[in-house]
Amino acid sequence: MPTVRSGPVIGLSAQLVVLAALAATVGLSPAGWLAGAGYAALTCLALSRGLHLAGASRLGPADRVTLARAVLVGAVTALVVDSFGRPTPVGLLVALSAVALLLDAVDGQVARRTGTVSALGARFDMEVDAFLILVLSVYVAPAAGSWVLAVGLMRYAFVAAMTVLPWLDAALPPRFWRKVVAAAQGVVLAVAAARVLPEPWTTVVLVAALALLVESFGRDVAWLWHRRPVAPPVAAPTVTAPGVTAPIAVALLVATPAPAAPVALPLLPLGRHAPLVVPPLLPVPGPVPALAARSGGTVHSDWRS
């Protein structure tokens, strides 16, 4: 009988309670309800599967903080979808986003101080961050321009590219600047959603945020490209003369004046040396630390890959 993991179920229940509170206070359309509930159900299923694959029966302390952030992101998702059909309470949307962004600095600290850092927790945290960035970019795009969607979609485009370029799924070394750029995206989008800056300045900060994101992704792609696996060189065919056992030899057939059979003479006999091993053109990356960022699941707060 499968183990019932209460953490994801508690998160699903909390999400439905929050959606009901939104409906009772500011109002929530059927589309908003559907988006929030669908997000909560998918989060519950994905987290349950992650716990199963990790062989864990419960969430750690930091994972519970991330689960609270996921519930807030579900509320933001419902409000953003609700905004397509009617005005949405911008102050509430920005406040929920701000709390979710602030808690992003808490779950990592909790994990390190309690000694409960895990690959599942890092992946869960990254997925919540990435989805919040996507939802906020969807909300900001109608006013700022559809190009803002590139901020939210870049990480998902990077993951999709792994299907055709497997070398993108290699390990990435931890880099503090990558985390700073990722955090800046959420802050800038929340500021743009709040409309506290004049429109030209909002465009400037959004362009700057996108430029930083492109630079950060570009640096990682270049790093992965230079360290991608290369095919071993194809061995040249060997021709050996009678009595010669060298791995590399070239035979020269010389016809004698007499009507005798041709004689095979080795041009460069190497004796009985061992085969020559040619090293790869590029260094092969060695083992990486257990918490090194991977494209599919990164260290805490690195949401891109």
Side-chain angles (χ1 to χ4, degrees), residues 103-169:
L103 288 177
D104 187 28
V106 175
D107 50 9
Q109 292 289 337
V110 172
R112 286 185 285 271
R113 292 185 179 183
T114 59
T116 55
V117 177
S118 67
L120 173 62
R123 181 62 182 270
F124 185 27
D125 176 71
M126 178 268 298
E127 294 294 348
V128 171
D129 289 342
F131 195 76
L132 177 58
I133 296 298
L134 175 61
V135 170
L136 288 176
S137 67
V138 169
Y139 180 75
V140 173
S146 58
W147 60 270
V148 178
L149 293 174
V151 176
L153 292 174
M154 192 169 298
R155 183 257 171 182
Y156 295 99
F158 184 85
V159 173
M162 296 177 192
T163 60
V164 293
L165 301 172
W167 52 268
L168 287 174
D169 197 22

